[in-house]
Amino acid sequence: MSYDAVVVGAGHNGLAAAVHLATKGWKVAVVEANAEAGGAVKTREMTIPGFRHDVAAMNLSMFAGSGFFAEHKEALIAHGLGFVPAADCFATVFRDDTFLGVNSDLEKTSAGIAALSPEDALAWRAMLAEFGSDAPHIFGLLGAPMPSFAAAKVVWKAWRQKGTGWLYDTLRLLFASPRDFLDARFRHAKLKTMMAAWGLHLDFSPDVAGGALFPYLESMANQAFGMVIGKGGADTIIAAMTGVLKARGGELILGAPVEHIRLSGGRATGVVLADGRILEAQKAVIANIHPRNLFGRLVAADAARADFDRKIQQFRAGPGTMMLHLALDGLPDWRAGEELKRFAYVHVAPDLEMMSRVYAEAAAGLLPSEPALVVGQPTAIDPTRAPDGKHVLWVQVRVLPAEFHGDAAGEITARNWDDAKEAYAERVLDILERYAPGLRSKVLGRAIFSPTDLERENPNLIGGDNLSGSHHLDQNFIFRPVAGYSRYATPVKSLYMCGASTWPGAGTGAGSGFMLAKMLSRS
């Protein structure tokens, strides 16, 4: 079978590339080892029939604001894509049984901040006003290949409109740690804690350089635009993309692991499947898989490529993650107030000190005594995901070691995740009980994915790293995944990479797949 392009891996970036190329007239096949498409964006009944849980990704705001969605919006909606907006976006609970949150209504958010610090409420409004003029330039940069003429054009336009001082300030933002950035702008610890929690969604503790951008963007984007989740589940974007792909002549081949990439004369010419089938690619093979798996397993070694291969194998994973999925008889009864039941996300990361501590413990190979929790309450926004009156809870446990030699709390004696995950899930529930008493009595069923389980589920998540590679400065921008290869090409002609391991990194924005497809189709 012969195609213009063969995409290996049916994650949302690979599907975005395939949809765009098929729209431009390319004959495209997407091949996926698993029996279902989606990568880290899947929704399943994992606990009790009728309770739909997002396996990994839940927040679809990046997809809703993406260039890919903007270009293919009508077709995706026609194939069933649906979003549910969340006005109450995210909140953080604190040890004194209070909370601070962001609502898309500026007056509500500002009132909560003003109760802590009127000065900070004014600073929040000022930051939002600056974001309104900064956002087109920042998102323009994130939506351009790195490096590229398009990226340079964004910088040039920003300089013409905003001046040299703005460029310096933006560079400082890109290089700053969350603590330094927030200390320079706000006074109250609770506001800084609420914003800094977003750094842990990537791999930035409060004092890691380069970690300020994500707390800034997430806080301001949620304030300005709100948050969206998928109607019925995050997999709404996958179902829509696969529908559009097939409608435009593309082929989706599931349950078909790739044995290796075919090479001829230093060029990728197709793929060989584990069952012996050969899919020829006349123009491109696109790998939506982790580079370490691509060049460590699917592409034959080549002495002429030794330096590149060595650097790819040194591409570091970010911290591990555990996912705890609960089917509930009712939403958590948060000590901090009934209002918390309306929020899409509740962060249980009550101060900067614990954020630094959990990061240090995980880096030292210890099970953290108090992990950071991202508690998703999707049925508070979209009740169709569970039977009437019932709920699902999505708990992302951060920051964890992929391998460990001890427990910072001195309680768990197991030394691998298969043996430790049940005990560690109990620790997570203990923490949740402190902030939402009686939660255990509401649990009807649960499913646990340790970091090891997440890698088994999706080999791109090495060590349970749901980022597919650390986003520290030496692995971001022009260094993602390897300096000189941030524009999706590889040393093998006609073989390209996309996905979270490539620029602009993790998230549901489909940026790398869309940008690569535009470069290949020249449109």
Side-chain angles (χ1 to χ4, degrees):
M1 293 176 284
S2 181
Y3 304 89
D4 292 318
V6 174
V7 179
V8 181
H12 70 283
N13 273 292
L15 289 171
V19 166
H20 191 75
L21 291 174
T23 302
K24 299 303 178 181
W26 287 40
K27 184 180 180 182
V28 183
V30 180
V31 59
E32 168 61 43
N34 290 324
E36 59 182 322
V41 185
K42 294 175 181 172
T43 307
R44 294 185 191 143
E45 295 182 345
M46 294 185 291
T47 55
I48 300 173
F51 290 78
R52 284 177 55 78
H53 305 266
D54 291 336
V55 178
M58 172 184 146
N59 180 355
L60 299 184
S61 297
M62 290 178 68
F63 188 88
S66 69
F68 173 77
F69 177 64
E71 182 151 340
H72 299 280
K73 180 177 181 178
E74 291 185 7
L76 291 167
I77 292 174
H79 282 83
L81 176 63
F83 295 130
V84 182
D88 291 292
C89 305
F90 69 93
T92 288
V93 289
F94 303 107
R95 299 189 194 279
D96 63 357
D97 296 334
T98 62
F99 79 92
L100 183 63
V102 169
N103 182 286
S104 57
D105 182 336
L106 176 59
E107 297 307 317
K108 290 184 179 181
T109 305
S110 185
I113 298 171
L116 300 173
S117 167
E119 182 180 355
D120 281 349
L122 292 175
W124 179 271
R125 288 176 178 272
M127 180 176 283
L128 181 65
E130 293 172 3
F131 176 75
S133 61
D134 292 351
H137 305 300
I138 294 175
F139 287 117
L141 193 62
L142 293 173
M146 185 65 65
S148 65
F149 177 75
K153 187 176 179 180
V154 170
V155 174
W156 171 257
K157 185 177 180 180
W159 176 75
R160 291 289 300 271
Q161 291 182 2
K162 309 280 287 188
T164 302
W166 182 86
L167 290 180
Y168 284 137
D169 288 343
T170 302
L171 284 173
R172 289 189 66 187
L173 168 64
L174 296 178
F175 296 146
S177 71
R179 189 192 302 271
D180 289 342
F181 173 75
L182 294 168
D183 280 350
R185 287 157 178 81
F186 302 107
R187 293 196 173 191
H188 204 284
K190 288 183 177 180
L191 175 56
K192 290 186 279 188
T193 296
M194 181 189 74
M195 295 179 69
W198 284 107
L200 295 182
H201 281 250
L202 295 181
D203 55 334
F204 292 101
S205 69
D207 298 300
V208 174
L213 180 63
F214 199 52
Y216 167 71
L217 288 181
E218 280 291 341
S219 297
M220 292 297 102
N222 278 277
Q223 180 63 86
F225 311 120
M227 183 183 289
V228 300
I229 63 173
K231 186 175 182 180
D235 64 346
T236 182
I237 67 172
I238 304 302
M241 283 194 283
T242 55
V244 175
L245 174 66
K246 293 174 183 178
R248 293 179 176 170
E251 187 173 352
L252 178 63
I253 306 170
L254 299 174
V258 171
E259 185 68 27
H260 65 267
I261 308 292
R262 294 186 82 198
L263 304 180
S264 177
R267 178 180 175 275
T269 60
V271 303
V272 178
L273 304 184
D275 62 11
R277 282 181 290 172
I278 297 174
L279 308 182
E280 296 180 353
Q282 301 300 318
K283 297 180 179 179
V285 174
I286 298 171
N288 183 197
I289 59 178
H290 197 290
R292 280 166 52 182
N293 292 332
L294 176 62
F295 286 94
R297 186 171 66 85
L298 298 186
V299 178
D302 185 343
R305 206 181 58 235
D307 184 60
F308 173 85
D309 287 359
R310 176 182 57 80
K311 291 178 180 177
I312 284 291
Q313 295 308 311
Q314 292 174 345
F315 184 68
R316 298 187 314 279
T321 307
M322 171 183 276
M323 294 301 309
L324 177 59
H325 299 286
L326 302 177
L328 298 179
D329 198 34
L331 286 170
D333 294 312
W334 297 99
R335 283 186 190 273
E338 283 288 306
E339 308 99 299
L340 275 174
K341 290 184 177 181
R342 301 195 300 263
F343 281 84
Y345 275 173
V346 177
H347 289 131
V348 184
D351 51 62
L352 297 184
E353 291 72 26
M354 73 76 60
M355 294 185 208
S356 296
R357 184 171 60 252
V358 64
Y359 196 89
E361 289 172 350
L366 299 174
L367 294 174
S369 57
E370 185 185 18
L373 309 181
V374 185
V375 182
Q377 302 182 124
T379 43
I381 315 302
D382 175 21
T384 68
R385 298 183 182 208
D388 288 347
K390 309 301 181 184
H391 291 274
V392 300
L393 209 64
W394 178 98
V395 184
Q396 188 179 73
V397 186
R398 313 196 60 89
V399 176
L400 304 178
E403 298 178 352
F404 54 92
H405 59 78
D407 175 19
E411 298 169 348
I412 298 174
T413 59
R415 294 296 178 261
N416 65 74
W417 276 113
D418 287 339
D419 294 336
K421 71 178 184 179
E422 292 288 344
Y424 205 77
E426 289 300 319
R427 178 172 297 174
V428 171
L429 289 174
D430 287 342
I431 293 171
L432 287 174
E433 282 280 340
R434 295 178 209 162
Y435 295 92
L439 178 65
R440 272 193 172 88
S441 67
K442 296 175 181 281
V443 176
L444 304 174
R446 75 183 193 184
I448 308 166
F449 285 77
S450 73
T452 300
D453 294 327
L454 287 175
E455 184 173 356
R456 289 174 181 145
E457 165 72 25
N458 183 348
N460 288 335
L461 310 183
I462 293 176
D465 166 28
N466 68 338
L467 310 172
S468 286
S470 168
H471 285 63
H472 288 183
L473 287 173
D474 66 332
Q475 291 194 166
N476 209 352
F477 303 101
I478 62 172
F479 304 110
R480 191 166 189 87
V482 172
Y485 293 93
S486 59
R487 287 171 52 84
Y488 315 117
T490 76
V492 179
K493 293 179 181 179
S494 301
L495 176 61
Y496 302 90
M497 299 179 288
C498 70
S501 298
T502 64
W503 170 259
T508 57
S512 61
F514 182 50
M515 284 189 276
L516 170 59
K518 289 200 298 180
M519 292 166 69
L520 292 176
S521 65
R522 302 184 188 279
S523 61

